[in-house]
């Protein structure tokens, strides 16, 4: 039996294990102390503790200790580190991926650009750092030569902004990748991000598995991905996929890789951006639409077979497309509060029904939902790792069928205890702009997705609270209203006033009405049990997942989380921080403190910078005044809500 160590965590570790087990391989997990009881650890045949997922020596030692002959790096962490590939090779262990030499050639954007030119692949026009920035043709993109994921990237629109943007990108590149080399390229104002999945074996064969469109992205980080690309012509598809294969052949590529292109919407020209020498986060949409001799493709299986020296055993003519697939990345972030990373412990986690194993029903024309995740109820979500919690993927016979299925799947996704971007994803996927495929790579940086209306969630929460409070076991007497055998209707109650946060909601169960803010809704209970309420609100079927506690009601409706306090009139209430107090909007690390007590500052001046989940946030003065308190120093780990700065306004 072959043994595979998965040098990763979370959903990708579980996804790799799923295929490896099907092929009869033994699976070894690695984990830090934070992940000692994580799902990927419990699912493995064996687990080995490491000090860090980025510690090359520790990961190689874990592979040796466990007797693993192969290591799958997943994505992120060490997946594109040439030093890691060489260390494994030196230990006689096979990396499921390309060689260190290929990573060196393709893992850096500057070196990959030279390979692309040698392969005859068009590249984005660029400038030398020795050139005068005043001579650049703005706007330009400054970006890290190493790494990816939108880290170390800034759009610069004028020479006056160049120096600050360059310094910020360089600092972020050094922090994220340990390499502050920066490139300067033409910035395409309206473009689409089209990438090609390639696979090469050690026998000289390189195939493409068609393309994905990842244009729905924010600040160069992907939000929704789909396959095939919905806006390109057959001629463009042929040119882009053949360019990807030519590039992979030029560098002698083996294993799974992705060649990324930028398609200019104005000219129709496409340019090589970079190559990711690993499996991509968005690989499921390719697996859902690509067929090999009519059957579904498993990219991880192909990776493992190539790693063992087997030939791919197929030719390009056998690779075809069927239907359309769209993926939504679920993150621990508050999309409507500046996309701030979130941390904490989940209470209730509900993912939509997922078909993750092959079967005849997956080959039907009916929409199919797939969920790749590693999030459970009661799980601690830390700022120490990437905030992605899982991926919801929908397949349909055409794009609209897939999109509709995705919206429904996000409706059925409920994560309580922490805030996620699920409601944002649902609103975006349901929008006319996404439906019509008019979103380009900069669309989310130009437009705001409207926050969902919380009125229906409020109706659901108020109705549920009254229902619970009329039952035996409510907070008015007894315990345990959330029983799996239901919430049973009692006698006709009088109207109740429910206070949720600042809202006063009148619930009249006898008449079937809920009133708030001058609006009255007709409500009929369909069912309510196991933390889920299904109501007809003004004749429309609505459902929510709720966690009603003594002091708070936590509700997810259409993916969006709403939290309302249940006030206790006998409780003490702490005074809120004044307008001049800047609180930590997330738990994280203080990167810089730019001011001292007694210093005069202007409105909007940056007082300090903090980081969480690899995201930097500048803390700026809310108005002109004097700094009267500095509550942190560089390097401090601060909690959510910690008072970092206090600014006293000037008299005028």
């Amino acid at each position: 039996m072959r043994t595979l160590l998965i040098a990763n965590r979370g959903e990708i570790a579980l996804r790799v294990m799923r295929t490896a087990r099907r092929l009869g391989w033994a699976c070894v997990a690695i984990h830090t102390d934070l992940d000692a009881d994580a799902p990927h650890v419990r699912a493995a045949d064996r687990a080995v503790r490491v000090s860090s997922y980025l510690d090359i020596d520790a990961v190689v030692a874990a592979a040796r200790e466990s007797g693993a002959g192969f290591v799958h790096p997943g994505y992120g962490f060490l997946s594109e580190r040439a030093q890691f590939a060489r260390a494994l090779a030196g230990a006689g262990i096979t990396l499921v991926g390309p060689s260190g030499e290929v990573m060196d050639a393709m893992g850096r954007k500057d070196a990959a650009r030279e390979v692309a030119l040698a392969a005859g692949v068009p590249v984005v026009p660029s400038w030398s750092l020795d050139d005068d920035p005043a001579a650049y043709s703005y706007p330009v993109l400054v970006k890290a030569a190493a790494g990816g994921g939108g880290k170390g990237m800034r759009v610069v629109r004028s020479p006056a902004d160049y120096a600050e943007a360059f310094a910020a990108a360089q600092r972020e590149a050094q922090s994220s990748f340990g390499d502050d080399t920066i490139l300067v390229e033409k910035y395409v104002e309206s473009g689409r991000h089209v990438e090609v999945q390639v696979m090469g074996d050690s026998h000289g064969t390189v195939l493409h598995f068609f393309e994905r469109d990842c244009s729905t992205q924010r600040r160069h980080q992907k939000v929704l991905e789909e396959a095939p690309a919905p806006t390109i012509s057959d001629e463009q598809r042929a040119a882009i996929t053949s360019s990807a294969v030519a590039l992979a052949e030029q560098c002698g590529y083996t294993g799974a890789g992705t060649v990324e292109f930028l398609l200019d919407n104005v000219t129709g020209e496409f340019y090589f951006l970079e190559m990711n020498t690993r499996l991509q986060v968005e690989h499921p949409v390719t697996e859902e639409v690509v067929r090999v001799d009519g059957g579904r493709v498993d990219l991880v299986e192909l990776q493992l077979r190539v790693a063992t020296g087997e030939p791919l055993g197929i030719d390009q003519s056998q690779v075809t497309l069927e239907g359309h697939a769209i993926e939504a990345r679920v993150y621990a972030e508050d999309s409507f509060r500046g996309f701030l990373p979130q941390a904490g412990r989940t209470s209730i986690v509900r993912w939509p029904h997922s078909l993750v194993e092959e079967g005849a029903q997956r080959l039907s024309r009916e929409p199919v939902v797939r969920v790749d995740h590693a999030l459970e109820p009661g799980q601690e979500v830390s700022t120490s790792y990437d905030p992605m919690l899982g991926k919801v993927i929908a397949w349909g016979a055409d794009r609209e069928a897939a999109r509709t299925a995705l919206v429904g799947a996000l409706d059925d996704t409920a994560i309580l205890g922490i805030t996620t971007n699920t409601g944002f994803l649902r609103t975006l996927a349901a929008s006319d702009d996404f439906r019509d495929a008019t979103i380009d790579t900069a669309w989310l940086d130009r437009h705001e997705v409207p926050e969902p209306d919380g009125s229906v969630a409020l109706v659901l929460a108020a109705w549920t609270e009254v229902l619970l409070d009329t039952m035996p076991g409510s907070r008015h007497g007894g315990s345990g209203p959330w029983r799996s055998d239901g919430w049973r209707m009692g006698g006709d109650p009088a109207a109740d006033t429910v206070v949720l946060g600042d809202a006063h909601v009148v619930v009249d169960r006898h008449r079937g009405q809920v009133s708030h803010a001058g609006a009255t809704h007709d409500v009929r209970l369909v069912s309510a049990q196991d933390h889920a309420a299904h109501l007809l609100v003004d004749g429309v079927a609505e459902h929510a997942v709720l966690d009603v506690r003594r002091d708070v009601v936590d509700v997810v409706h259409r993916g969006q989380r709403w939290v309302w306090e249940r006030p206790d009139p006998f409780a003490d209430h702490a005074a809120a921080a004044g307008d001049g107090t800047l609180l930590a909007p997330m738990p994280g690390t203080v990167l810089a403190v730019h001011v001292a007590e007694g210093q005069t500052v202007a409105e909007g001046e940056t007082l300090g910078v903090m980081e969480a989940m690899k995201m930097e946030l500048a803390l700026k003065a809310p108005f002109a005044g004097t700094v009267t308190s500095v509550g942190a120093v560089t390097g401090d780990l601060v909690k959510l809500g910690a008072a970092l700065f206090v600014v006293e306004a000037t008299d005028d």
Side-chain angles (χ1 to χ4, degrees):
M1 176 184 291
R2 292 187 171 112
T3 299
L4 176 71
L5 182 140
I6 297 112
N8 219 296
R9 66 185 298 275
E11 59 87 17
I12 185 58
L14 290 176
R15 188 266 169 273
V16 171
M17 285 183 199
R18 189 165 63 242
T19 292
R21 286 185 181 282
R22 180 170 58 79
L23 297 176
W25 292 45
C27 296
V28 179
I30 59 172
H31 66 88
T32 61
D33 291 337
L34 282 175
D35 278 345
D37 192 40
H40 77 281
V41 174
R42 300 198 308 272
D45 297 298
R46 182 178 177 184
V48 181
R49 179 193 174 279
V50 294
S51 57
S52 165
Y53 294 103
L54 293 170
D55 188 329
I56 291 176
D57 292 339
V59 175
V60 174
R64 280 176 168 158
E65 176 188 335
S66 61
F70 299 83
V71 171
H72 195 300
Y75 44 74
F77 292 132
L78 299 174
S79 61
E80 293 181 285
R81 295 280 294 274
Q83 181 185 353
F84 180 53
R86 282 191 279 268
L88 287 173
I93 299 168
T94 300
L95 176 70
V96 181
S99 67
E101 290 68 32
V102 170
M103 286 187 187
D104 279 334
M106 303 309 297
R108 288 182 55 89
K109 297 178 179 66
D110 47 1
R113 180 185 177 91
E114 297 304 315
V115 176
L117 288 170
V121 177
V123 298
V124 182
S126 67
W127 291 269
S128 168
L129 297 184
D130 294 329
D131 295 339
D132 182 358
Y136 296 166
S137 179
Y138 290 88
V140 299
L141 182 69
V142 295
K143 66 180 186 180
K151 302 295 190 300
M153 285 190 180
R154 297 291 188 279
V155 176
V156 187
R157 298 192 174 278
S158 72
D161 299 329
Y162 176 79
E164 182 178 352
F166 184 92
Q170 194 170 49
R171 181 175 64 248
E172 194 169 274
Q174 180 64 41
S175 172
S176 299
F177 316 121
D179 185 335
D180 64 359
T181 305
I182 296 294
L183 303 178
V184 181
E185 295 180 343
K186 169 187 175 182
Y187 178 66
V188 176
E189 288 282 7
S190 178
R192 297 192 73 88
H193 182 118
V194 179
E195 61 186 33
V196 179
Q197 178 69 61
V198 296
M199 184 75 70
D201 63 22
S202 57
H203 303 272
T205 299
V206 176
L207 303 177
H208 73 77
F209 291 82
F210 291 97
E211 81 290 341
R212 300 181 286 258
D213 187 305
C214 306
S215 301
T216 308
Q217 53 185 254
R218 176 183 172 273
R219 296 184 179 178
H220 312 290
Q221 296 204 12
K222 299 164 187 174
V223 177
L224 299 174
E225 300 110 346
E226 56 187 308
T231 63
I232 65 175
S233 65
D234 290 341
E235 292 76 17
Q236 287 173 316
R237 172 173 290 116
I240 290 174
T241 53
S242 62
S243 291
V245 170
L247 185 78
E249 290 176 337
Q250 177 71 29
C251 67
Y253 197 83
T254 57
T258 298
V259 185
E260 300 191 350
F261 297 93
L262 180 63
L263 180 66
D264 191 326
N265 284 332
V266 176
T267 65
E269 297 177 312
F270 66 91
Y271 306 108
F272 167 72
L273 286 177
E274 62 180 328
M275 184 175 191
N276 295 125
T277 56
R278 53 171 168 79
L279 196 67
Q280 292 281 90
V281 173
E282 58 271 24
H283 77 274
V285 293
T286 293
E287 293 183 324
E288 294 304 316
V289 300
V290 168
R291 304 288 181 262
V292 175
D293 288 338
R296 294 178 61 255
V297 69
D298 183 331
L299 294 175
V300 174
E301 177 177 348
L302 292 179
Q303 282 186 294
L304 295 177
R305 294 194 184 283
V306 166
T308 62
E310 293 184 34
L312 285 170
I314 55 177
D315 59 46
Q316 195 65 64
S317 65
Q318 296 172 269
V319 183
T320 58
L321 287 169
E322 181 181 351
H324 201 95
I326 310 174
E327 172 181 292
R329 300 187 183 196
V330 178
Y331 281 89
E333 66 181 18
D334 191 342
S335 305
F336 301 107
R337 304 293 181 275
F339 293 87
L340 293 177
Q342 303 293 297
R345 186 175 297 277
T346 62
S347 56
I348 299 169
V349 176
R350 303 277 171 86
W351 295 101
H353 178 63
S354 171
L355 297 171
V356 296
E357 300 296 336
E358 289 189 50
Q361 61 197 119
R362 302 203 73 186
L363 301 178
S364 71
R365 303 297 288 175
E366 294 298 316
V368 168
V369 172
R370 164 179 170 177
V371 182
D372 288 8
H373 78 92
L375 186 71
E376 302 175 325
Q379 186 169 327
E380 188 72 27
V381 175
S382 167
T383 59
S384 298
Y385 301 117
D386 188 273
M388 192 175 73
L389 305 175
K391 303 175 299 195
V392 179
I393 308 103
W395 177 93
D398 55 37
R399 186 176 187 268
E400 184 58 16
R403 188 188 69 87
T404 303
L406 179 65
V407 172
L410 293 170
D411 280 342
D412 292 337
T413 302
I415 300 171
L416 288 77
I418 63 170
T419 297
T420 74
N421 67 336
T422 311
F424 170 85
L425 295 170
R426 193 267 183 202
T427 302
L428 184 59
S431 69
D432 292 347
D433 295 279
F434 186 75
R435 179 199 63 198
D436 298 338
T438 57
I439 294 178
D440 61 23
T441 55
W443 190 91
L444 278 173
D445 297 327
R446 300 191 307 264
H447 298 80
E448 286 191 6
V449 174
E451 185 171 7
D453 182 0
S455 60
V456 173
L458 190 67
V459 168
L460 287 156
W463 185 276
T464 300
E465 176 163 344
V466 169
L467 183 60
L468 287 172
D469 281 352
T470 60
M471 293 176 56
S474 74
R475 62 176 174 168
H476 295 156
S479 62
W482 294 88
R483 297 190 299 268
S484 60
D485 61 350
W487 291 326
R488 301 291 184 247
M489 296 290 288
D492 293 338
D496 291 273
T497 298
V498 178
V499 180
L500 295 172
D502 296 330
H504 289 67
V505 188
V506 178
V507 178
D508 189 333
R509 288 182 54 214
H510 179 62
R511 292 183 174 84
Q513 292 181 333
V514 176
S515 301
H516 168 62
T520 298
H521 304 276
D522 293 323
V523 178
R524 182 166 70 84
L525 176 67
V526 177
S527 66
Q529 65 178 37
D530 194 23
H531 292 278
H534 298 261
L535 306 178
L536 287 178
V537 181
D538 297 328
V540 178
E542 303 283 0
H543 70 274
V545 176
L546 307 95
D547 186 13
V548 181
R549 302 192 297 274
R550 181 174 298 276
D551 58 342
V552 72
V553 179
D554 197 350
V555 183
V556 170
H557 171 248
R558 295 186 178 178
Q560 182 65 25
R561 181 184 183 224
W562 305 90
V563 181
W564 289 289
E565 291 184 357
R566 301 174 75 182
D568 182 347
F570 300 104
D572 292 330
H573 297 279
D579 289 344
T581 300
L582 278 77
L583 306 179
M586 55 188 176
T589 304
V590 176
L591 292 182
V593 173
H594 297 316
V595 295
E597 292 183 10
Q599 183 173 332
T600 301
V601 294
E603 180 179 349
E605 183 175 340
T606 299
L607 309 181
V609 180
M610 63 178 298
E611 178 189 51
M613 292 182 175
K614 302 179 183 178
M615 171 180 152
E616 285 190 16
L617 179 71
L619 303 169
K620 298 184 178 182
F623 39 68
T626 302
V627 178
T628 60
S629 175
V630 176
V633 297
T634 300
D636 275 358
L637 296 175
V638 295
K639 296 181 179 180
L640 171 69
L644 302 181
F645 303 97
V646 178
V647 178
E648 183 177 314
T650 54
D651 292 339
D652 57 355

